[in-house]
Amino acid sequence: MYALYEPVKSPRSLAKNMRGRLLHGLLSRRVALFQEFITENLPLSAQVREETVSNQLICDQYRLVVCGSDQIWNVNAGDFSEVYLLPFPNCVGKIAYGPSMNNGDFANIPELDYYRELLLNFDAISVREASGRDKLLSLLSGARDIRVVADPTLLLDREQYSRVCSPVCNARPYIFLYTVKNSDAVVEAALEVAGALRLPVVTLFTGNGTYRTLMKGRGAIRLAPSQGPGDFLGLMAGAEFVVTDSFHGTAFSLLYGKRFAPVDGAQVGRPARHDTRVGGLLEILGLEDLLSSSIATLIRVPIDYEIVDERRRKYARESRAFLEEALSATLARLDGDPA
């Protein structure tokens, strides 16, 4: 899914590869920056397993496994794998922290009974959205207490991200467009904000759809010169305004206290339709009105971040407490401690 070039199986894949050649230097540098970020910042085991995980290795090396977060339980996702349901023997403890099902549902697939059995083997389950909790409560007939917790990115404050954030560019104010869907709506929203604020739009390459976004932008949208994870943070930190159709675009807009427009499948100036992840987060933080606000209103009306930050930090404390309690209780069970 994330390869720089893909095997040529159709005219569409050939066209994608040809467009990729035009940006080869930028895209290859992007791949290198992501790998560099992983190497420098993520404490990984010596063996990294992607699909087939050895049961013996798990039992020999680990006492407890935590899976999460993001859309690892979305059965409609192209990279869904049952490995994220921890199909290992009960020699290890199993905890789910904040996986998202988004619009997927285990109840609608042939493997329903098998996946239900795997879920019942978890010591503790939490999910990222209330809609996911409702689906699992129905699937498991209430046999598990399922909590809604914050995405891991929200457990930290922006000060803690400064260690990996690229230098913020303040040479000229700009609008940051962070899109993963590259819909007409999100491009139109960015152009409307740009016209109102008289500012340029900067975006990151997030996949094949970025080519369409640049074309639709009619020269008003430009690619950032560097494309690593730290650059995402730097662009977010320095932006005058953010336009996004991404859950994490929304999450980091909130973390950095930005004015922003959450957009998903709406026409400019009309109420937006949002996936369950974005809607759920904004509702928890008391910002659900953003979903039905026009672009003009989002530009004009400020967000009271004193209240939002207080709610966000409370949400983070409660979520961290869930994880700590789940770890403690599971380890006590493994040690045979009745407490």
Side-chain angles (χ1 to χ4, degrees), residues 10 12 59 76 123 147 209 265 270 337:
S10 67
R12 181 176 179 179
C59 291
N76 296 331
D123 289 277
R147 293 273 298 277
R270 299 179 185 176
D337 184 349

Side-chain angles (χ1 to χ4, degrees), residues 250-272:
T250 297
F252 279 94
S253 294
L254 294 165
L255 278 165
Y256 280 93
K258 297 298 173 178
R259 292 187 296 163
F260 72 102
V263 181
D264 184 10
Q267 296 302 314
V268 173
R270 299 179 185 176

Side-chain angles (χ1 to χ4, degrees), residues 90-102:
N90 290 335
C91 58
V92 293
K94 304 175 186 180
I95 295 173
Y97 181 85
S100 171
M101 300 171 70
N102 199 6

Side-chain angles (χ1 to χ4, degrees), residues 8-304:
V8 177
K9 298 180 180 178
S10 67
R12 181 176 179 179
S13 58
L14 177 62
K16 176 186 175 183
N17 289 347
M18 291 176 66
R19 287 193 295 266
R21 290 295 301 174
L22 298 176
L23 295 173
H24 177 81
L26 181 144
L27 298 183
S28 60
R29 175 62 177 153
R30 174 177 180 257
V31 172
L33 286 171
F34 270 77
Q35 187 56 54
E36 179 181 296
F37 184 90
I38 291 170
T39 301
E40 293 182 356
N41 296 286
L42 303 185
L44 302 179
S45 60
Q47 293 179 305
V48 178
R49 306 286 177 144
E50 295 179 352
E51 285 295 333
T52 304
V53 181
S54 163
N55 288 342
Q56 193 60 50
L57 179 145
I58 292 293
C59 291
D60 288 347
Q61 297 191 15
Y62 302 100
R63 298 188 64 211
L64 190 151
V65 179
V66 182
C67 69
S69 170
D70 217 353
Q71 297 188 65
I72 59 169
W73 285 2
N74 181 357
V75 294
N76 296 331
D79 53 357
F80 171 76
S81 170
E82 71 174 45
V83 73
Y84 294 118
L85 291 166
L86 311 186
F88 316 127
N90 290 335
C91 58
V92 293
K94 304 175 186 180
I95 295 173
Y97 181 85
S100 171
M101 300 171 70
N102 199 6
N103 296 315
D105 195 338
F106 292 123
N108 298 328
I109 59 175
E111 298 87 352
L112 165 64
D113 291 336
Y114 173 55
Y115 289 164
R116 180 193 289 118
E117 181 181 351
L118 292 179
L119 288 164
L120 287 171
N121 283 331
F122 274 76
D123 289 277
I125 297 177
S126 63
V127 290
R128 206 170 63 184
E129 298 93 32
S131 59
R133 177 188 59 194
D134 294 342
K135 291 173 185 176
L136 290 181
L137 286 173
S138 175
L139 178 67
L140 303 179
S141 303
R144 285 289 183 276
D145 177 25
I146 299 171
R147 293 273 298 277
V148 176
V149 295
D151 185 82
T153 58
L154 294 170
L155 298 181
L156 305 178
D157 282 318
R158 56 180 172 268
E159 291 78 16
Q160 293 166 289
Y161 283 107
S162 62
R163 184 174 62 86
V164 293
C165 181
S166 297
V168 176
C169 177
N170 292 318
R172 183 184 178 190
Y174 60 88
I175 296 156
F176 181 31
L177 169 61
Y178 184 67
T179 172
V180 292
K181 298 176 184 175
N182 297 285
S183 66
D184 290 344
V186 76
V187 175
E188 290 167 7
L191 294 177
E192 182 176 350
V193 175
L197 298 182
R198 300 183 181 278
L199 295 176
V201 180
V202 179
T203 193
L204 284 170
F205 187 90
T206 57
N208 198 36
T210 303
Y211 301 116
R212 296 194 302 273
T213 288
L214 295 173
M215 292 177 62
K216 290 182 224 174
R218 302 182 293 276
I221 300 174
R222 64 179 177 84
L223 274 176
S226 194
Q227 301 278 320
D231 302 311
F232 165 79
L233 294 174
L235 286 166
M236 182 66 72
E240 186 74 16
F241 195 99
V242 178
V243 178
T244 186
D245 57 14
S246 154
F247 171 84
H248 286 107
T250 297
F252 279 94
S253 294
L254 294 165
L255 278 165
Y256 280 93
K258 297 298 173 178
R259 292 187 296 163
F260 72 102
V263 181
D264 184 10
Q267 296 302 314
V268 173
R270 299 179 185 176
R273 293 184 295 105
H274 290 266
D275 68 28
T276 58
R277 302 173 299 153
V278 174
L281 174 59
L282 293 178
E283 184 176 356
I284 287 170
L285 299 181
L287 295 174
E288 59 269 29
D289 286 351
L290 297 186
L291 303 180
S292 56
S293 297
S294 67
I295 297 298
T297 299
L298 295 172
I299 293 173
R300 185 180 71 255
V301 179
I303 296 171
D304 188 341

